[in-house]
Amino acid sequence: MSEKYLIGVDASNHSRAALAWGLERARHRGASVELIHIADDSFLSESVAFLSEAQVASEQMLANEIDYATNTLGFTGNITGTAVVGHPIAEIELASKHADLLVLGAHSGSKFAGSIFGTRAVKIAAVAHCPVAVIPAEQTEAGTGIVVGVDGSESSKLALAFAAEEASLRSQPLIAVYAWMPPLTPGLEYLWSEELVTAQQAAAEEAIAIAVAGLASRYPDLEVQREIVQAPPVTALLQVAAKADMLVVGSRGRGGISRLLLGSVSHGVLSQLPCTTVVTRAE
């Protein structure tokens, strides 16, 4: 059974960057595509007339984006669309239950901040039932390597599995990043002993070796690079991913209202988005 990609659209440059990325991936993977446009009803009148008008506008927007996907971008695969009026986060969470990958555009510092493709991308990544790919609006020349953060947790193991398969399929190196910091108060680095640093470095090397063990047998041609960075996790990942093609991070599954707490690392990298970033979930 082929994969299904759900792509959020709104005709902005940001969502069209995500649309182009998602369609290209679907073309290579033989995946079907569903475009979704949501007219946010948060500020709409609750009258039947206003909601009906919003639905018509949403459907027209969706039709335009399907036309753009097929006639401008030349996508010839299976493509459908859904246009709804409602709360973007709730509607996309529901739709993500039936998708293998959710693709969103993202940007910051613009008049669109807070839209479905702006800061809400962080909240959507927290509640989605499938991996979420967040695509920068403006990408410079393509980088190299699939970067993944590892720390031994179940969520990072899932992220590593996704990243390894991605790197293998793309014939790119897998770059596993382990970040560590000595347990000392910032500003007291002069108190670090050589023994402490050596022990921490050895523990980091052991942890990353355990994390990537077994990949060689499953992906014999995969190049695995290990990066041990003495820095906070977000800083380390942003540093290594600056010249990468993709960054993959894991997010713990949560229940109830706490699902909106994505996690400091995932939130941190999505807020700065060094490259295309995928958030995997451990339900």
Side-chain angles (χ1 to χ4, degrees):
M1 185 175 179
S2 65
E3 291 182 315
K4 177 182 177 181
Y5 297 165
L6 179 67
I7 307 176
V9 295
D10 69 356
S12 68
N13 291 337
H14 315 93
S15 78
R16 285 191 168 178
L19 178 59
W21 186 92
L23 293 179
E24 183 65 18
R25 183 186 178 90
R27 182 180 292 115
H28 285 292
R29 305 290 181 89
S32 63
V33 171
E34 178 185 356
L35 306 188
I36 184 169
H37 178 264
I38 302 166
D40 191 342
D41 65 357
S42 300
F43 302 102
L44 296 178
S45 166
E46 294 183 359
S47 72
V48 174
F50 274 99
L51 294 177
S52 177
E53 194 172 317
Q55 181 65 39
V56 171
S58 183
E59 291 172 356
Q60 184 59 58
M61 171 72 74
L62 180 67
N64 291 342
E65 292 308 283
I66 290 179
D67 179 75
Y68 178 79
T70 55
N71 294 324
T72 302
L73 297 180
F75 184 70
T76 58
N78 182 17
I79 184 169
T80 59
T82 298
V84 295
V85 177
H87 191 284
I89 296 174
E91 295 295 340
I92 286 200
E93 177 187 6
L94 181 63
S96 72
K97 292 180 179 181
H98 310 289
D100 296 293
L101 180 69
L102 169 61
V103 183
L104 300 175
H107 44 80
S108 60
S110 77
K111 64 181 180 180
F112 295 103
S115 74
I116 182 175
F117 308 112
T119 57
R120 281 186 182 169
V122 174
K123 295 180 181 179
I124 291 171
V127 301
H129 296 270
C130 64
V132 179
V134 185
I135 316 302
E138 298 179 1
Q139 299 192 69
T140 55
E141 58 185 71
T144 302
I146 308 300
V147 175
V148 60
V150 297
D151 62 8
S153 66
E154 290 303 314
S155 58
S156 76
K157 291 177 182 177
L158 184 62
L160 180 62
F162 184 100
E165 182 176 3
E166 190 75 18
S168 178
L169 289 171
R170 293 190 183 200
S171 298
Q172 292 210 36
L174 173 69
I175 307 172
V177 178
Y178 187 96
W180 70 276
M181 287 290 291
L184 292 175
T185 303
L188 299 180
E189 291 84 355
Y190 63 91
L191 294 178
W192 295 355
S193 67
E194 183 177 345
E195 291 77 10
L196 171 65
V197 174
T198 299
Q200 290 285 340
Q201 183 72 15
E205 291 173 353
E206 180 181 7
I208 201 170
I210 292 173
V212 302
L215 291 180
S217 60
R218 185 171 183 180
Y219 305 105
D221 297 325
L222 178 63
E223 177 187 349
V224 179
Q225 300 177 11
R226 306 177 187 182
E227 293 283 347
I228 298 174
V229 182
Q230 186 178 314
V234 172
T235 301
L237 290 172
L238 292 175
Q239 174 184 317
V240 179
K243 297 182 180 180
D245 185 46
M246 178 184 287
L247 169 61
V248 182
V249 293
S251 178
R252 294 184 300 276
R254 294 178 180 270
I257 192 66
S258 62
R259 288 180 303 167
L260 294 179
L261 301 175
L262 182 59
S264 59
V265 174
S266 300
H267 193 157
V269 297
L270 285 183
S271 297
Q272 302 187 57
L273 212 63
C275 59
T276 292
T277 300
V278 174
V279 179
T280 60
R281 295 196 59 77
E283 291 292 349

